[in-house]
């Protein structure tokens, strides 16, 4: 958990793709799985955070990673 990256809107790459894929598998719409952290991914992360008792800031940090990949 200590080595989790902080991923936010504007990021791109494999870690963003993994976040999108996990959100999709959990029923959240990211508007595609393309590895780009845009509006769709931001909104999906916010919704996931709200539904899991986290601060809905749209940033995928340690606590969000922990819940998302649990």
């Amino acid at each position: 958990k200590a080595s989790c990256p902080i991923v936010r809107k504007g990021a791109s790459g494999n870690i963003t793709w993994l976040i999108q894929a996990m959100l999709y598998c959990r029923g959240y719409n990211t508007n595609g799985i393309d590895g780009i952290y845009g509006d769709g991914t931001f909104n999906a992360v916010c919704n996931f955070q709200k539904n899991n008792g986290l601060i809905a800031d749209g940033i995928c940090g340690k606590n969000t990673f922990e819940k998302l990949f649990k």
Side-chain angles (χ1 to χ4, degrees), residues 12-60:
S12 63
N14 291 339
I15 193 72
T16 302
W17 189 93
L18 287 170
I19 292 166
Q20 290 172 326
M22 285 301 293
L23 287 165
Y24 177 81
C25 288
R26 293 183 176 267
Y28 294 89
N29 181 11
T30 61
N31 291 335
I33 301 173
D34 58 4
I36 300 169
Y37 202 128
D39 290 332
T41 303
F42 177 85
N43 292 330
V45 169
C46 283
N47 289 330
F48 175 81
Q49 290 170 325
K50 285 178 196 172
N51 293 335
N52 286 276
L54 300 169
I55 296 171
D57 58 7
I59 298 170
C60 199

